[in-house]
Amino acid sequence: MRAVLPGKPSPKLQAVCTGQWAGHRLIAYISGNALVILSGPDSLLQTIYRDEPDQLQSVALDEASGKLATCSKSILCTYRPYGEDECALKWSLEEALTMDVESDIAPTLSWGSSEELLLGGKSLRLLATTGPIRDIWTSSLPSPVKLALFSHDASFVASTGFYDRLAKIWRRRSFGSDDVRFDYSYLAHPTTVTGFHWREPRHKEQTIDNVLYTQCADNILRVWVASDPHGLQLLQLWAQVDLQESIKPRLSSITPPSRERYAFIIDSRDFCLATERAVQNANDEEKGGDALNHIIEIAHRSPEVCVVLDDEGHMSAWGFENVGCKDRKTSNVFNITHGHGVKLASLSGAAAEERHVSILNFSSVDPSSDINVLAHHFDGRIEWLVGPVAWLFDSSPRKIRLKQQAVWSGHDAHVKKMIRTAQGTALVSHTQQNECFLWKQKDYGNEAGGTSMIRQSVLAVEEHIHRTCVLKGGDLVVFLHYGHISLWDARTPRATRLASLDYRLKGKPLCLIILPQVNANKGRAYVATISSEMKGVTWEIQCDGLYNGIEKGVQASMREFDAFDLGGKDDLAFCVPVDPAGSSTTVSHSVDAFSSDVAISCTTSGTLHTWAAAVDRSDTQPKWLLTATVDTRVDRPSLVSASSIRKTALVDSEKTSLTVWDTRSSQLEFERTFEAQDTIRDLDWTSTPDNQSLLAVGFPYRVLMLAQLRFDYLDAGPAWTVVRSVSTRDLSPTPIGDSTWLSGGSLVVGAGHQFFIYDKQVEITGDLETDLRLRSHHRVSWNIFDVVAHLNGPLPFFHPQFLAQCILCGKGSLVQRIIIALYKKLKFYSDGDELDGMLGISLEDFYREEQDTPLAARKELGSSFADFVEDEDDAVVSEDLATSLNEKLAQIAIPQLSSTEQFHLADIVECVATVEKQRRSMDDNAARFLLFFRQHMLRKRRTTAVNFGWREITWAFHSSSQDILIDLVCRHFQSKLRWEHARESGMFMWISDITAMRAQFEIIARNHYTQTDEKNPIDCSLYYLALRKKNVLLQLWRMAGWNREQKSTQKLLANNFEEARWKTAALKNAYALLSRHRFEYAAAFFLLADCLRDAVAVCVNQLGDLQLGIAVARVYEGDDGPVFKEILEDRLLPLAATEGNRWMASWAFWMLKRRDMAVRALISPVYTLVDTPSSPNLRSQLFLVNDPALVVLYKQLRERTLQTLRGASKIAPRVEWEFLLHNARLYDRMGCDVLALDLVRNWEFFKQLPELTGGNNPANDQSTAAAAAAAAAAAVDPRKMLRRRSSLVVADLPSPTESRHPASDVGLQKSPPLPPPAPPPGFEEPSASSLLDSFGF
């Protein structure tokens, strides 16, 4: 946190106090019903809110005990400090005293000795606070006191009343007894007394004469000193200074000089201490300077200093030497300096009561020579000014003598809502009491990059504010009320109403939206509201006159521009404006899908609609366009928030579950459910300069900042993560009211009366470094934009995810080049060297069509002079090179990688070397499978294991090198393959040869039998019976003499199970085993009874092992068996549709001999291809279902057979085009921009098939037309779609004379006969330039 606005200080004489206790400089002030305690400009110690409705009137600090006292008109409270030893200083309520409310007089407070407290009102009361608060002295007064202060030794009290020209001086006659007595006298002044100050000693134990400084309405400061203690007059006048005549501006001005005067006293203790520190800290140049010598000369006289200021920055300083001496000389009052450069941030045009400034000062606690000034402006601000004592009293001209450290302000009621401008440089806040302020962002411009807010204007709005928007960088504010709308000019400290219009609208207005213009005009703006009936009104605001000068009296105008109806009002829950994010875009004359969104609506069933709009003044109405519709399936959402770059956050009805959606692609990117006590209350969007999204999620006492991560389809990693968490629980006891982003990545949080401003710097701790996958490299903090760029920017070529995606894309030789180039770079790398992320490899190498060179040829080329390398072995990634590179990776920390990513890089290097060793004998798909299988096994015991599933199974299934893969998998498990190993590798899903599969199944049976020393036949029963080898199992039971079930089982197995009676016996045993929860053994007995369907059901339902059920079915009856097809149709395809798993669906369709559907399943949503008993779940819309490797498999399969070509022909050209662009966006989101470029540059679209019609004769009925179309379709050769001839297309289409098997329609939705299909729309292959333009390349 870089800045805090602790609350609006109350305009009271005793609203602010300061003092030093236990080595801490404490500043306390009151704001409404809150007590704010600070120790520095941005160091808030505590905020204490009172439940009473009365506002606090005064506060006082006891420097001896650290106790604080506050008082409203009815209750006096004292607070005692605690936790100072634990470095967690706080205050707790000690005592509370209820007072009789006699009048509306604000009480005054002052601490004396021994924790005695003076309370002034219509009477003076001296209270003892060491125990229960009790009165020890009371004196009635003829008129209420305005101010009553103890002297430093508590022997005197100075008091004065409202509009009183007499200062009453009370002298205490007795201490230490209950019989407290005072006598008093008066100090007469010519006009009203406005303020007091008692001189402070250098040390608490020091005994000095009491000196009182009084200020009057006549602008004269008077100095009173103690007189004869036995005389009637307790104090006598010693000197006076005319504040009005003290400042005489040196430069003449056209305007008359200011008559405002502000004065404060710097006690001799503070002045001399600051001078001593200035001498100690001065460098050689400063020691010889006039400024330092000047203050040293003054400090030798140990003066009290009076500083006089005006509101134009002029100042004068006067010294009082030997105050109180009886032999007073003329030189005892002397001038120190006249100058300029101490300008208070006073507001021009403010009311007289708001121009009052009360000033406190003190010297710094640290060893600096600074003088600190606290200026309490009665318009609701406290200004903290700091400057070296030598600068302040330098006799030579200086532009700046005191620098502004902070301006404390805020509200005096709870913050309810904040609305910012599109740029985030200004915002409007309003409270539950309708108090409304406009704030401007202020950047300090220092190395720390701090930021704060300055209050620019107060908007005195009497009506209820329903909705707000801020225009023109904060110059104009529009308020939407019920029935009318108002426009305000907020450029002055007091905003003025410029215009107000009534409106009529059906339904409740839900939002107030700023509409973009086709031709932006600075002097014109358009705002619109949309109601619960989806009807709206647009207003035009003409504000050219505001920028010609207010003094000319030109006012802005507002008129109703248009009324519109968007339709679709059913079950509308929300309609809100989107948060402006991303770079500003130029609005075209036509609103299209590329236009920025301006609003989002949401129904009670969770359907999102995003809207774009633009205003062209030449048209009579704005243009609206529905840009996206997303069914989120979130029932009755409680919050919705969207950004203009198509990101939407949605909160469920319980306010505990958050989902983040990309509305452009209708996909779910993030889902998280928080604990029940963590209810989500606010959502706010912003973006980085390169259009990466940031989301702030507000809870009652904390805000989480979420940033985008790169998509990770290999590890199934999250797409969003928490980059920062800020908590207000230790700063404010009240819940957060609202939060919003400022420009530059700063976040402002409003809680209670206060604003907490967190700048863009993110502290990197150990846990955060691990969670964010960052390597700090000696950096204590990061810019939040740099963090997001690191997490979501383009990847270096040697990043493990980039290498893995290159392998999936078939760029094996490029991966080899990258690894070899990295190895050569790391050979001579030392800490601190720069490492190029591209490793000197050209971008053209990625999008140039690559032809993988055979291994022998690469070695031959590597040894030639034309392509020379250091070592012949470096032409490929050998196992020796991989070992050497991994040794380097273990020693060197690569700056662009986290430690986890560096481990993954070492894994992938080892895997590439293993694949290269087997490269001669395996195809690309086998290499893909082997690579990720090796990675999975290497990371198996780590927390970040690779997600090994249907994607890898599909690569192996479409490989022609399955015998090698089987051998490698078995060798990996030391030739002791058991079912858990087979399930882990997916072996029985991807083996296509039934004979090989049964051989491996028998190996598993043997290994399960021998896995224990006792060799239990039960362990292998399921596998042998699936192989139909009952006799082998019977022989194994004969050797199991130790098993008590041997005799009965052996006797049962000896029977002929072709007979019905023994099948029934086997079934009875199976059901008995089910009742005992011996599920695997029960499935074996179902197989013994030839009930394959029941055995598979037990495997899937009771054992929860779908792979085991499929394997048993394939082994038992082959790939054409009815039970296996039933599993695919009733289990696998509905599951794939529900989960959105396209890999699973494609494999299932291929096994069903529907290869056309297998190709279509890679592009189309699975639930559109099959009948599902239930709708797809939320996970089916997760970004992980849209794996960009699908496009690689689609390109590979669509040209493999005639069926796949026919399936590709059924995909609409527009769908394939959108699929291509979507995958390019996914590559971009993964940080693989060059692969996106390669995809859109080299993709080849099919030729369009000839039109298939049923004839033009109108007499042809529907059935005849459909039959003719089918015949024409069968007559067309799909190979004509290929742009290049291929002799490798397998002819797998059924002949026209064959009768189609009913099972061939599996997977297609059942529907009544349809009329002949319309001719497909014409589609031409787009040019490469149009593809590249879609991504800004």
Side-chain angles (χ1 to χ4, degrees):
M1 184 175 65
R2 295 291 178 179
V4 57
L5 300 182
K8 177 184 176 182
S10 302
K12 307 293 181 182
L13 289 176
Q14 282 194 301
V16 186
C17 65
T18 182
Q20 189 166 336
W21 173 78
H24 302 279
R25 169 55 59 176
L26 303 177
I27 301 103
Y29 73 89
I30 54 175
S31 172
N33 64 339
L35 169 63
V36 182
I37 310 168
L38 305 102
S39 62
D42 300 321
S43 178
L44 177 64
L45 296 178
Q46 190 179 3
T47 305
I48 302 172
Y49 289 89
R50 298 295 300 166
D51 296 333
E52 291 77 16
D54 292 343
Q55 294 194 348
L56 300 178
Q57 303 294 322
S58 55
V59 61
L61 169 66
D62 183 14
E63 290 189 89
S65 64
K67 292 173 66 172
L68 285 164
T70 62
C71 192
S72 65
K73 294 176 181 178
S74 59
I75 296 180
L76 168 69
C77 297
T78 59
Y79 301 89
R80 180 172 293 278
Y82 67 94
E84 197 272 335
D85 295 336
E86 292 80 17
C87 299
L89 184 59
K90 300 290 181 182
W91 279 258
S92 62
L93 179 65
E94 184 183 43
E95 292 290 339
L97 176 66
T98 302
M99 303 179 296
D100 295 332
V101 181
E102 301 172 354
S103 64
D104 292 334
I105 302 301
T108 179
L109 297 172
S110 180
W111 287 97
S113 61
S114 304
E115 300 184 21
E116 294 176 347
L117 182 63
L118 181 67
L119 173 64
K122 294 196 70 173
S123 62
L124 281 181
R125 302 170 62 184
L126 187 60
L127 307 173
T129 65
T130 52
I133 298 177
R134 58 188 179 89
D135 285 292
I136 57 175
W137 175 80
T138 301
S139 176
S140 298
L141 301 174
S143 61
V145 296
K146 175 178 65 176
L147 192 62
L149 295 178
F150 264 120
S151 63
H152 76 278
D153 58 359
S155 59
F156 286 93
V157 173
S159 67
T160 187
F162 293 88
Y163 313 108
D164 198 344
R165 68 179 188 87
L166 297 176
K168 194 170 186 178
I169 306 301
W170 304 78
R171 181 173 59 184
R172 188 166 182 174
R173 306 300 296 175
S174 61
F175 287 88
S177 66
D178 292 337
D179 184 19
V180 177
R181 290 176 295 164
F182 284 86
D183 57 6
Y184 59 88
S185 65
Y186 293 96
L187 303 180
H189 294 75
T191 56
T192 302
V193 178
T194 58
F196 294 139
H197 175 79
W198 288 100
R199 180 171 68 171
E200 296 289 338
R202 291 203 175 194
H203 308 287
K204 293 297 180 183
E205 296 78 15
Q206 183 182 5
T207 301
I208 59 172
D209 292 336
N210 286 299
V211 176
L212 178 66
Y213 301 90
T214 62
Q215 285 182 250
C216 268
D218 60 357
N219 273 337
I220 292 180
L221 176 78
R222 293 172 174 82
V223 185
W224 305 85
V225 298
S227 61
D228 183 4
H230 302 290
L232 296 177
Q233 192 69 18
L234 300 180
L235 299 178
Q236 62 182 3
L237 184 65
W238 184 81
Q240 63 184 23
V241 175
D242 191 333
L243 306 181
Q244 193 65 48
E245 298 298 323
S246 296
I247 295 179
K248 294 294 182 182
R250 298 177 181 178
L251 300 177
S252 59
S253 176
I254 299 176
T255 59
S258 171
R259 297 192 61 82
E260 295 288 342
R261 294 294 182 267
Y262 314 107
F264 61 93
I265 302 296
I266 302 177
D267 291 312
S268 177
R269 66 169 187 176
D270 294 325
F271 179 78
C272 293
L273 179 61
T275 304
E276 291 174 8
R277 291 174 176 172
V279 174
Q280 294 170 1
N281 300 334
N283 54 34
D284 294 337
E285 181 180 354
E286 293 173 342
K287 286 181 180 178
D290 294 337
L292 185 61
N293 292 330
H294 179 59
I295 64 168
I296 291 174
E297 180 181 350
I298 296 170
H300 285 158
R301 303 174 69 172
S302 300
E304 315 288 332
V305 180
C306 172
V307 180
V308 186
L309 310 173
D310 67 4
D311 56 1
E312 295 179 352
H314 303 104
M315 69 160 285
S316 67
W318 300 84
F320 303 126
E321 183 183 8
N322 297 327
V323 178
C325 66
K326 295 181 179 180
D327 186 14
R328 180 179 177 276
K329 300 178 182 178
T330 307
S331 60
N332 287 149
V333 179
F334 61 95
N335 179 257
I336 297 176
T337 186
H338 284 279
H340 188 276
V342 185
K343 183 170 177 58
L344 301 178
S346 56
L347 297 179
S348 58
E353 62 272 10
E354 293 183 346
R355 291 199 301 268
H356 181 77
V357 180
S358 178
I359 299 178
L360 304 174
N361 71 92
F362 55 89
S363 61
S364 297
V365 177
D366 55 13
S368 68
S369 61
D370 292 340
I371 295 293
N372 296 262
V373 175
L374 294 176
H376 174 205
H377 300 263
F378 273 39
D379 61 5
R381 295 172 298 126
I382 297 177
E383 187 179 9
W384 186 323
L385 303 169
V386 175
V389 65
W391 289 14
L392 182 59
F393 299 110
D394 191 0
S395 56
S396 58
R398 280 186 177 272
K399 290 185 177 180
I400 299 177
R401 297 175 184 268
L402 295 176
K403 291 184 178 180
Q404 189 182 86
Q405 287 287 98
V407 177
W408 292 336
S409 187
H411 288 279
D412 56 9
H414 291 333
V415 176
K416 180 181 179 182
K417 189 66 179 174
M418 293 185 287
I419 305 294
R420 68 179 176 98
T421 60
Q423 298 77 22
T425 56
L427 65 86
V428 167
S429 64
H430 60 86
T431 67
Q432 297 172 353
Q433 280 71 35
N434 232 34
E435 182 182 56
C436 194
F437 294 159
L438 185 133
W439 308 84
K440 283 289 185 75
Q441 184 178 3
K442 178 183 178 182
D443 292 323
Y444 294 139
N446 52 23
E447 295 180 358
T451 186
S452 185
M453 295 193 307
I454 300 296
R455 193 184 75 197
Q456 174 174 296
S457 185
V458 177
L459 298 100
V461 184
E462 296 180 358
E463 306 96 327
H464 171 73
I465 299 173
H466 185 55
R467 293 291 184 267
T468 307
C469 70
V470 190
L471 304 173
K472 305 300 179 184
D475 291 347
L476 294 176
V477 180
V478 179
F479 292 120
L480 183 69
H481 314 282
Y482 289 112
H484 71 282
I485 186 171
S486 59
L487 174 67
W488 295 71
D489 180 3
R491 294 175 298 163
T492 57
R494 287 285 176 180
T496 55
R497 188 195 298 259
L498 298 177
S500 181
L501 282 178
D502 294 335
Y503 68 89
R504 290 185 178 181
L505 186 63
K506 185 177 180 181
K508 177 183 177 182
L510 299 178
C511 58
L512 192 59
I513 305 168
I514 303 173
L515 299 184
Q517 303 177 55
V518 172
N519 297 311
N521 187 333
K522 182 181 179 181
R524 189 179 298 116
Y526 294 88
V527 296
T529 184
I530 301 175
S531 74
S532 57
E533 302 287 332
M534 290 303 286
K535 303 184 185 303
V537 179
T538 305
W539 292 276
E540 181 186 60
I541 299 171
Q542 189 75 27
C543 50
D544 288 321
L546 292 179
Y547 300 97
N548 297 330
I550 300 178
E551 64 276 5
K552 297 182 181 180
V554 182
Q555 300 250 330
S557 62
M558 180 168 55
R559 71 180 182 91
E560 186 171 314
F561 183 71
D562 177 59
F564 56 89
D565 186 355
L566 298 180
K569 63 182 180 180
D570 295 338
D571 69 354
L572 182 67
F574 296 100
C575 186
V576 296
V578 302
D579 287 336
S583 56
S584 58
T585 56
T586 303
V587 181
S588 61
H589 287 271
S590 61
V591 182
D592 52 29
F594 296 99
S595 302
S596 297
D597 294 335
V598 298
I600 183 168
S601 60
C602 182
T603 65
T604 55
S605 59
T607 302
L608 301 175
H609 302 281
T610 59
W611 303 87
V615 177
D616 188 349
R617 200 164 187 270
S618 60
D619 294 340
T620 58
Q621 60 183 5
K623 301 173 182 177
W624 288 86
L625 176 67
L626 178 64
T627 56
T629 299
V630 182
D631 184 9
T632 66
R633 298 182 178 86
V634 178
D635 188 43
R636 308 193 72 81
S638 58
L639 281 176
V640 63
S641 179
S643 72
S644 56
I645 53 178
R646 308 292 175 87
K647 302 293 182 185
T648 300
L650 200 63
V651 180
D652 69 346
S653 58
E654 302 295 327
K655 297 187 178 182
T656 57
S657 180
L658 171 69
T659 54
V660 178
W661 299 81
D662 184 342
T663 55
R664 185 190 301 274
S665 57
S666 301
Q667 67 184 10
L668 174 65
E669 293 191 354
F670 180 76
E671 180 186 13
R672 181 173 175 182
T673 300
F674 299 92
E675 296 180 0
Q677 64 271 20
D678 266 350
T679 56
I680 302 173
R681 304 179 63 164
D682 186 36
L683 299 168
D684 294 283
W685 288 96
T686 190
S687 68
T688 65
D690 56 346
N691 285 356
Q692 308 294 342
S693 296
L694 278 166
L695 173 64
V697 184
F699 298 90
Y701 293 97
R702 63 174 178 147
V703 178
L704 298 182
M705 302 181 198
L706 301 178
Q708 290 178 253
L709 289 175
R710 301 182 193 93
F711 283 167
D712 186 356
Y713 289 93
L714 302 179
D715 293 345
W720 291 76
T721 189
V722 177
V723 295
R724 191 177 189 181
S725 176
V726 296
S727 174
T728 62
R729 190 176 291 276
D730 294 336
L731 302 172
S732 174
T734 59
I736 295 173
D738 197 9
S739 62
T740 192
W741 293 96
L742 299 176
S743 67
S746 300
L747 181 75
V748 55
V749 178
H753 302 179
Q754 303 165 328
F755 295 104
F756 306 102
I757 303 163
Y758 299 88
D759 69 359
K760 58 187 177 183
Q761 296 299 319
V762 178
E763 300 295 329
I764 302 298
T765 61
D767 294 339
L768 189 60
E769 181 179 343
T770 302
D771 294 341
L772 299 184
R773 299 179 291 175
L774 295 173
R775 192 192 299 275
S776 60
H777 291 294
H778 309 295
R779 289 175 62 177
V780 178
S781 63
W782 285 58
N783 185 317
I784 193 170
F785 289 165
D786 293 340
V787 171
V788 176
H790 182 91
L791 296 176
N792 200 32
L795 293 170
F797 288 172
F798 49 81
H799 193 282
Q801 173 157 287
F802 186 85
L803 294 176
Q805 291 300 325
C806 285
I807 293 170
L808 289 174
C809 291
K811 300 182 181 298
S813 60
L814 262 175
V815 172
Q816 302 255 354
R817 286 181 56 191
I818 292 170
I819 293 175
I820 293 170
L822 178 63
Y823 173 64
K824 292 178 179 179
K825 290 284 186 182
L826 295 184
K827 266 187 177 181
F828 309 103
Y829 181 85
S830 59
D831 194 19
D833 291 351
E834 289 188 7
L835 185 61
D836 181 17
M838 298 176 64
L839 297 173
I841 299 175
S842 172
L843 290 178
E844 294 180 357
D845 295 339
F846 285 90
Y847 58 77
R848 186 187 299 124
E849 291 199 46
E850 181 183 9
Q851 299 294 332
D852 276 345
T853 309
L855 177 63
R858 289 206 301 270
K859 287 189 174 181
E860 183 179 348
L861 289 173
S863 60
S864 67
F865 291 102
D867 195 14
F868 177 75
V869 292
E870 276 190 10
D871 301 312
E872 186 175 343
D873 292 339
D874 287 353
V876 295
V877 179
S878 63
E879 291 185 339
D880 292 339
L881 186 144
T883 303
S884 301
L885 178 55
N886 285 348
E887 288 176 357
K888 290 289 185 183
L889 292 175
Q891 300 168 1
I892 299 172
I894 299 179
Q896 292 95 324
L897 301 179
S898 68
S899 56
T900 304
E901 290 165 345
Q902 203 155 319
F903 277 120
H904 292 178
L905 176 59
D907 290 347
I908 210 167
V909 169
E910 183 178 344
C911 294
V912 169
T914 303
V915 170
E916 183 61 33
K917 185 178 179 180
Q918 305 289 337
R919 188 69 180 179
R920 288 179 181 272
S921 53
M922 66 171 58
D923 59 7
D924 285 340
N925 285 339
R928 292 181 178 110
F929 170 83
L930 184 58
L931 175 75
F932 296 110
F933 177 72
R934 289 275 300 164
Q935 277 192 278
H936 172 70
M937 301 313 298
L938 285 172
R939 304 187 203 175
K940 183 178 177 182
R941 296 183 180 179
R942 299 181 192 167
T943 55
T944 56
V946 178
N947 184 31
F948 195 84
W950 284 98
R951 177 183 54 221
E952 290 73 23
I953 289 172
T954 307
W955 291 127
F957 177 70
H958 290 291
S959 171
S960 59
S961 311
Q962 291 184 357
D963 52 344
I964 300 173
L965 293 181
I966 293 171
D967 181 62
L968 290 173
V969 170
C970 291
R971 280 196 291 169
H972 178 81
F973 295 110
Q974 294 84 36
S975 298
K976 295 181 179 179
L977 189 69
R978 297 197 299 273
W979 173 249
E980 56 266 25
H981 304 143
R983 181 177 55 227
E984 192 171 12
S985 65
M987 176 183 292
F988 290 92
M989 304 299 102
W990 51 258
I991 295 179
S992 55
D993 184 6
I994 293 296
T995 303
M997 182 168 59
R998 286 170 176 161
Q1000 294 303 316
F1001 212 68
E1002 188 167 2
I1003 291 173
I1004 290 177
R1006 287 199 301 266
N1007 291 335
H1008 273 272
Y1009 176 69
T1010 59
Q1011 69 181 344
T1012 60
D1013 294 336
E1014 58 187 13
K1015 298 181 181 179
N1016 192 346
I1018 295 176
D1019 296 338
C1020 61
S1021 296
L1022 176 63
Y1023 307 101
Y1024 276 119
L1025 292 176
L1027 290 164
R1028 300 178 183 266
K1029 294 190 176 184
K1030 186 197 70 169
N1031 292 331
V1032 175
L1033 184 61
L1034 180 58
Q1035 296 301 322
L1036 296 179
W1037 271 107
R1038 287 174 179 172
M1039 294 182 287
W1042 56 270
N1043 196 318
R1044 64 180 182 179
E1045 298 178 4
Q1046 182 204 23
K1047 186 175 180 179
S1048 57
T1049 306
Q1050 185 178 346
K1051 182 178 178 181
L1052 178 65
L1053 291 177
N1055 297 299
N1056 181 10
F1057 285 89
E1058 297 294 330
E1059 299 178 11
R1061 60 184 292 247
W1062 296 115
K1063 286 185 179 181
T1064 304
L1067 283 175
K1068 289 180 178 179
N1069 280 277
Y1071 287 118
L1073 290 168
L1074 279 178
S1075 65
R1076 299 176 186 177
H1077 290 211
R1078 298 175 66 180
F1079 300 125
E1080 185 177 321
Y1081 203 24
F1085 272 89
F1086 278 122
L1087 290 178
L1088 190 61
D1090 196 23
C1091 293
L1092 175 60
R1093 184 175 287 102
D1094 296 328
V1096 169
V1098 171
C1099 293
V1100 175
N1101 297 330
Q1102 275 71 30
L1103 292 175
D1105 195 337
L1106 181 61
Q1107 282 198 39
L1108 181 59
I1110 293 174
V1112 168
R1114 293 187 70 190
V1115 169
Y1116 193 84
E1117 66 175 5
D1119 290 345
D1120 296 325
V1123 175
F1124 177 57
K1125 289 187 177 181
E1126 185 178 308
I1127 296 173
L1128 297 179
E1129 296 168 12
D1130 298 342
R1131 295 277 187 175
L1132 213 63
L1133 284 175
L1135 179 63
T1138 303
E1139 296 180 353
N1141 193 328
R1142 298 181 183 182
W1143 300 99
M1144 183 192 297
S1146 178
W1147 179 87
F1149 279 125
W1150 197 279
M1151 295 301 296
L1152 287 168
K1153 307 299 188 294
R1154 292 306 313 272
R1155 297 177 179 177
D1156 55 339
M1157 301 291 288
V1159 173
R1160 293 174 61 186
L1162 297 175
I1163 290 184
S1164 304
V1166 183
Y1167 65 87
T1168 64
L1169 303 177
V1170 298
D1171 286 326
T1172 56
S1174 59
S1175 60
N1177 59 22
L1178 195 62
R1179 305 293 296 178
S1180 68
Q1181 295 177 277
L1182 193 62
F1183 71 97
L1184 291 173
V1185 304
N1186 299 311
D1187 192 335
L1190 289 165
V1191 76
V1192 179
L1193 183 62
Y1194 171 72
K1195 185 176 182 180
Q1196 181 185 125
L1197 294 186
R1198 67 175 184 166
E1199 301 176 8
R1200 178 172 290 189
T1201 72
L1202 292 179
Q1203 270 202 56
T1204 59
L1205 279 171
R1206 178 60 55 83
S1209 70
K1210 294 179 181 178
I1211 298 172
R1214 186 69 187 178
V1215 173
E1216 184 175 347
W1217 165 267
E1218 292 176 352
F1219 175 68
L1220 179 68
L1221 295 186
H1222 179 62
N1223 280 277
R1225 293 190 194 100
L1226 294 180
Y1227 276 129
D1228 180 64
R1229 180 68 189 273
M1230 293 170 68
C1232 305
D1233 306 64
V1234 291
L1235 297 183
L1237 179 61
D1238 169 62
L1239 178 64
V1240 298
R1241 187 182 187 276
N1242 295 320
W1243 186 261
E1244 187 177 273
F1245 290 91
F1246 281 159
K1247 291 181 181 178
Q1248 184 179 349
L1249 281 174
E1251 292 187 2
L1252 307 178
T1253 63
N1256 297 323
N1257 186 358
N1260 292 340
D1261 59 9
Q1262 183 174 345
S1263 60
T1264 305
V1276 174
D1277 188 352
R1279 286 174 291 187
K1280 293 181 179 180
M1281 296 189 302
L1282 298 176
R1283 295 185 180 273
R1284 290 175 288 189
R1285 293 199 58 165
S1286 174
S1287 60
L1288 301 178
V1289 179
V1290 178
D1292 60 348
L1293 286 176
S1295 63
T1297 58
E1298 289 183 13
S1299 60
R1300 193 167 182 179
H1301 194 279
S1304 63
D1305 285 329
V1306 169
L1308 289 175
Q1309 294 179 349
K1310 278 76 173 174
S1311 59
L1314 296 175
F1323 182 80
E1324 297 181 0
E1325 180 179 358
S1327 64
S1329 61
S1330 67
L1331 280 167
L1332 300 179
D1333 289 343
S1334 297
F1335 292 89
F1337 293 121

